[in-house]
Amino acid sequence: MPIVVDIDVMLARRKMSVGELSDRVGITPANLAVLKNGRAKAVRFTTLASLCEVLECQPGDLLRWESEDG
């Protein structure tokens, strides 16, 4: 999929664990792992907004597009 999720990058910058992020955002660690590992087919705007609020970032810091060609 050409959409890449960079939650790991923001977690490292904020020195935050996946467990802490899932608790603060209000989603299960399993659902966060699906999103983090790029297996999610969709993300709710409310979830994205919560991730941005907790990680103090913009949506573009978490999601980016990469061409499938190269």
Side-chain angles (χ1 to χ4, degrees):
M1 180 182 285
I3 301 296
V4 178
V5 181
D6 287 327
I7 290 176
D8 283 338
V9 173
M10 292 309 296
L11 283 171
R13 287 183 184 165
R14 301 297 185 252
K15 296 183 172 98
M16 187 181 297
S17 70
V18 172
E20 181 182 352
L21 180 61
S22 69
D23 286 344
R24 291 179 61 185
V25 171
I27 61 176
T28 66
N31 283 340
L32 183 56
V34 168
L35 182 60
K36 187 173 76 79
N37 295 326
R39 294 188 315 257
K41 299 295 181 194
V43 60
R44 292 177 190 228
F45 281 154
T46 54
T47 301
L48 183 58
S50 294
L51 288 166
C52 289
E53 182 178 355
V54 170
L55 293 170
E56 298 177 356
C57 66
Q58 295 295 313
D61 296 325
L62 299 176
L63 304 172
R64 63 187 161 86
W65 178 83
E66 281 189 356
S67 172
E68 291 181 337
D69 296 339

